[in-house]
């Protein structure tokens, strides 16, 4: 087998991409129906690090020769990075991604179609640039947003209709969909707007993929009874590896990692079968030694800063009050009033920080209580306190 996959690597080789046959078969069978005018809308969810992005890249690679596959990663968009995610910037992200994917596939006729559209629809265009022979409109104002948005949302179906001799359908993958919550008050309206076009398209499948549990509020906004898609989305949750799959995965690695029964049980408890954590921790373990439960416990403490690297970054971005809320939840879940009492503040003053922590997926709300979403985050904070006698409030 190849070396263990890098913690940031999503383009995995056949041997690095372990398991997920059931998910691949389910998604493939659903997407194939796009060819026959029955395109699905899919919500692919799962906790961070479970392998969703690697999975959708695997699916994309499987179909990209016969279908136009549009890959939209919101986390990589300049609008999100610059904290300027709006309805208009979302439309631009979708437009740019469609154009890029069409060019890569070799659909040359799209440039003529787009140029004709802009010239005949009486848009107020400051100038019309050309990128790789594809017209890129620069508007002098936002007066044209509604008509441009309508054109962009209809574009995938039009591309299929003009090129059905070259492609069997269009797949729109929107990764890191949880980041769309940055739209704030515009979120609900934009989701309903998207749905109004998606529900009428016959040869365009949409796959929304995000790091969130089924308790996330965005799930309800998307697919709840009163959500934009009102239960019409097919929801697939990517689960962590089972104990047996984790054991087989470790055995298949090139590195000779040896665990006795107690050592494996502790390893699984630490990583919870999440591939991201399995890969990081496995890289940290010594080879050619039989590791016991105690060995794994000590090595886990030593490696916690690596396992929690994402949370270390997130923690540094939190306000002092948000950090205090997290600390209050370390030992057990709490009701809002209990959190307020522990911080000696009013319950109403916690609205904004709690909502921000929920949006960051650092905490979740279940059974009328708030709790830390990922135990690794809690382990890191507790370990920091054990080593330093204080939580890392000011600097990391």
């Amino acid at each position: 087998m190849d070396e263990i996959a890098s913690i940031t690597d999503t383009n995995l080789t056949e041997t690095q991409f372990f398991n997920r046959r059931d998910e691949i078969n389910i998604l493939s069978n659903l997407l194939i129906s796009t060819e026959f005018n029955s395109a699905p809308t899919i919500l692919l969810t799962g906790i961070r690090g479970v392998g969703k992005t690697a999975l959708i890249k695997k699916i994309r690679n499987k179909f990209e020769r016969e279908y136009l596959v549009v890959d939209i990663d919101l986390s990589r968009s300049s609008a999100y990075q610059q904290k300027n995610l709006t309805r208009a910037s979302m439309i631009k992200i979708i437009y740019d991604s469609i154009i890029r994917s069409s060019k890569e596939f070799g659909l040359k006729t799209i440039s003529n179609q787009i140029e004709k559209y802009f010239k005949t629809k009486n848009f107020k265009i400051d100038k019309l640039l050309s990128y790789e022979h594809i017209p890129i409109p620069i508007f002098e104002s936002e007066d044209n947003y509604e008509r441009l948005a309508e054109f962009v949302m209809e574009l995938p179906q039009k591309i299929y209709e003009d090129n059905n001799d070259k492609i069997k359908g269009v797949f729109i993958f929107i990764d890191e969909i949880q980041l769309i919550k940055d739209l704030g008050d515009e979120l609900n309206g934009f989701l309903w707007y998207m749905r109004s076009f998606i529900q009428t398209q016959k040869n365009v499948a949409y796959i929304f993929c995000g790091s969130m549990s089924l308790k996330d509020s965005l799930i309800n906004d998307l697919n709840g009874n009163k959500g934009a898609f009102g239960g019409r989305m097919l929801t697939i949750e990517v689960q962590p590896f089972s104990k047996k799959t984790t054991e087989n995965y470790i055995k298949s690695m090139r590195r000779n990692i040896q665990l006795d029964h107690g050592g494996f049980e502790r390893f699984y408890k630490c990583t919870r079968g999440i591939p991201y954590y399995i890969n990081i921790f496995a890289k940290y373990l010594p080879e050619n030694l039989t590791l016991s439960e105690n060995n794994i416990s000590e090595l886990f403490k030593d490696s916690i800063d690596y396992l929690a690297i994402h949370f270390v970054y997130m923690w540094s971005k939190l306000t002092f009050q948000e950090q205090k809320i997290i600390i209050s939840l370390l030992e057990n879940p709490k009701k809002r009033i209990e959190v307020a009492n522990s911080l000696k503040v009013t319950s109403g003053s916690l609205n904004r920080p709690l909502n921000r922590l929920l949006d960051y997926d650092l905490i979740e709300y279940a059974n009328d209580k708030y709790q830390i979403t990922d135990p690794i985050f809690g382990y890191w904070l507790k370990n920091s306190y054990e080593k330093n006698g204080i939580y890392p409030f000011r600097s990391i």
Side-chain angles (χ1 to χ4, degrees):
M1 177 181 172
D2 298 341
E3 182 56 88
I4 301 170
S6 166
I7 61 175
T8 59
D9 193 0
T10 55
N11 291 305
L12 307 182
T13 66
E14 289 295 325
T15 49
Q16 286 176 330
F17 191 92
F18 192 78
N19 201 38
R20 301 304 185 202
R21 293 186 185 88
D22 290 343
E23 290 92 337
I24 291 173
N25 288 336
I26 291 171
L27 286 168
S28 297
N29 290 334
L30 289 171
L31 291 171
I32 285 173
S33 65
T34 304
E35 180 183 357
F36 307 105
N37 301 328
S38 182
T41 302
I42 299 170
L43 178 59
L44 189 68
T45 71
I47 57 179
R48 186 178 299 278
V50 80
K52 300 177 300 299
T53 299
L55 175 61
I56 63 174
K57 287 186 180 295
K58 190 77 170 179
I59 295 293
R60 185 193 68 182
N61 293 340
K62 180 177 180 178
F63 287 103
E64 63 183 1
R65 293 185 180 180
E66 296 181 304
Y67 294 78
L68 175 63
V69 179
V70 180
D71 191 7
I72 303 171
D73 185 344
L74 295 184
S75 68
R76 296 179 181 272
S77 67
S78 60
Y80 171 73
Q81 292 293 336
Q82 296 176 29
K83 298 183 179 181
N84 188 35
L85 203 62
T86 63
R87 291 181 65 153
S89 63
M90 278 294 302
I91 290 297
K92 186 178 186 302
I93 292 168
I94 295 170
Y95 176 80
D96 290 345
S97 300
I98 292 172
I99 296 303
R100 182 177 61 252
S101 299
S102 298
K103 175 184 173 294
E104 291 173 352
F105 195 92
L107 301 180
K108 298 178 181 178
T109 58
I110 189 175
S111 60
N112 296 330
Q113 178 187 353
I114 293 173
E115 187 166 12
K116 179 181 178 182
Y117 180 87
F118 286 126
K119 288 182 176 179
T120 59
K121 293 297 182 181
N122 195 30
F123 277 91
K124 294 179 181 178
I125 298 178
D126 183 39
K127 53 185 172 180
L128 193 65
L129 302 180
S130 177
Y131 171 73
E132 300 285 352
H133 306 295
I134 301 294
I136 305 295
I138 306 299
F139 298 106
E140 61 182 12
S141 71
E142 295 186 2
D143 294 341
N144 303 288
Y145 165 73
E146 290 185 8
R147 284 157 61 185
L148 176 63
E150 180 179 347
F151 167 69
V152 172
M153 292 305 301
E154 291 177 346
L155 186 57
Q157 184 68 43
K158 290 179 178 178
I159 290 175
Y160 169 76
E161 292 169 357
D162 290 348
N163 298 276
N164 57 23
D165 59 330
K166 303 181 185 70
I167 56 176
K168 294 182 177 180
V170 180
F171 297 158
I172 309 288
F173 286 90
I174 305 181
D175 198 10
E176 303 292 355
I177 188 62
Q178 75 278 2
L179 303 181
I180 203 173
K181 288 186 282 189
D182 271 20
L183 289 179
D185 293 339
E186 294 184 316
L187 173 61
N188 199 45
F190 186 73
L191 292 176
W192 279 94
Y193 182 77
M194 288 186 70
R195 182 244 172 149
S196 68
F197 290 94
I198 291 173
Q199 67 179 351
T200 64
Q201 295 176 348
K202 300 297 183 184
N203 305 97
V204 184
Y206 288 81
I207 304 91
F208 298 88
C209 180
S211 296
M212 49 190 171
S213 70
L214 293 178
K215 302 170 187 174
D216 195 290
S217 61
L218 181 60
I219 302 290
N220 192 55
D221 292 335
L222 280 165
N223 208 32
N225 291 333
K226 296 182 180 180
F229 291 87
R232 293 175 176 83
M233 278 185 169
L234 300 170
T235 301
I236 298 174
E237 184 178 14
V238 182
Q239 298 286 348
F241 288 165
S242 66
K243 281 188 179 181
K244 187 62 178 177
T245 300
T246 301
E247 184 178 19
N248 290 337
Y249 183 35
I250 293 172
K251 289 179 179 178
S252 72
M253 294 175 179
R254 178 180 293 176
R255 301 186 77 245
N256 185 25
I257 298 172
Q258 301 176 14
L259 305 170
D260 65 17
H261 177 73
F264 173 76
E265 290 293 322
R266 176 59 60 178
F267 180 92
Y268 188 77
K269 183 177 181 179
C270 290
T271 63
R272 293 176 293 131
I274 299 172
Y276 176 83
Y277 293 139
I278 292 173
N279 289 335
I280 298 176
F281 200 16
K283 282 177 177 288
Y284 195 82
L285 299 182
E287 296 186 74
N288 304 316
L289 292 174
T290 301
L291 302 172
S292 67
E293 179 177 359
N294 289 336
N295 296 144
I296 293 297
S297 295
E298 290 302 315
L299 289 165
F300 179 70
K301 287 184 179 180
D302 292 341
S303 64
I304 192 65
D305 287 346
Y306 299 100
L307 290 163
I309 189 66
H310 168 72
F311 297 113
V312 174
Y313 171 77
M314 292 295 295
W315 175 261
S316 68
K317 301 298 181 183
L318 300 181
T319 66
F320 182 64
Q321 187 180 40
E322 289 164 354
Q323 291 177 340
K324 293 285 285 185
I325 290 173
I326 295 292
I327 297 300
S328 75
L329 299 175
L330 280 177
E331 296 305 324
N332 53 273
K334 287 183 174 65
K335 294 183 178 181
R336 176 190 289 243
I337 188 62
E338 293 172 330
V339 175
N341 290 339
S342 69
L343 271 61
K344 296 181 173 57
V345 298
T346 63
S347 180
S349 69
L350 295 180
N351 284 341
R352 180 177 174 81
L354 284 173
N355 286 334
R356 275 170 49 90
L357 292 173
L358 287 168
D359 286 344
Y360 290 151
D361 198 32
L362 294 177
I363 65 173
E364 60 186 10
Y365 187 68
N367 301 319
D368 200 32
K369 292 184 177 181
Y370 294 94
Q371 61 188 24
I372 294 175
T373 303
D374 193 325
I376 292 289
F377 187 25
Y379 293 150
W380 171 69
L381 286 169
K382 289 178 180 179
N383 192 57
S384 295
Y385 186 85
E386 285 182 14
K387 289 193 301 183
N388 304 312
I390 190 171
Y391 294 110
F393 288 114
R394 294 184 61 86
S395 62
I396 304 299

